[in-house]
Amino acid sequence: MDADNDTSITGREARVNTDFQKRQARLFTRFAITEAAVLAIAVIAIFVLKLVDVEIGVLILLGIAVLSGMVLTGLLMRMIKARQQALAQARGEAGSIW
C-alpha cells in the first residue's frame, strides 16, 4: 500500500512526522535568512557606517543574538506542541495533550 494512502495509525503518524519535518526545515531556513539579514545590517551600521560606538555596537549584536535565540526557541516550542497535538489526533486520541 502507498504510504500516502495508508490509513493505519502508523501511516497517519508517518505523514504527520514527514509534514512537520518539512515545516521545521522551512522554519530554520527562513529564520537563518532573516537572522543573517538583520545581523548584516547591524554589522554594516556599526562597523562600516559607524553609526554607533563599537563597544555599544557589540552589545547591540549580543542583544540581537539573545533576542533571536529566544524567538527561535519560542517558535520551536510552538511547533513541537502542534506536532504533538497532530500526532494525538492521528492516533485518534480525544482532548488536549496538556
Side-chain angles (χ1 to χ4, degrees):
M1 184 179 280
D2 188 1
D4 290 334
N5 296 325
D6 187 3
T7 58
S8 68
I9 291 174
T10 305
R12 291 189 306 246
E13 287 178 344
R15 282 193 304 277
V16 167
N17 285 326
T18 301
D19 179 52
F20 275 90
Q21 286 174 351
K22 289 177 184 176
R23 287 185 190 187
Q24 190 170 5
R26 282 192 307 263
L27 171 73
F28 281 131
T29 303
R30 290 176 182 165
F31 189 84
I33 290 169
T34 305
E35 179 71 7
V38 169
L39 286 173
I41 290 169
V43 166
I44 290 170
I46 295 165
F47 296 109
V48 176
L49 301 176
K50 299 186 186 296
L51 295 177
V52 294
D53 187 37
V54 174
E55 292 176 5
I56 295 173
V58 170
L59 293 176
I60 291 171
L61 291 174
L62 285 173
I64 291 171
V66 169
L67 182 63
S68 66
M70 291 170 40
V71 168
L72 183 59
T73 300
L75 290 171
L76 286 174
M77 294 299 290
R78 205 169 83 195
M79 183 171 283
I80 289 169
K81 185 175 179 180
R83 179 179 171 266
Q84 289 174 339
Q85 289 175 343
L87 284 172
Q89 186 178 10
R91 291 183 195 113
E93 298 171 2
S96 175
I97 61 170
W98 299 101

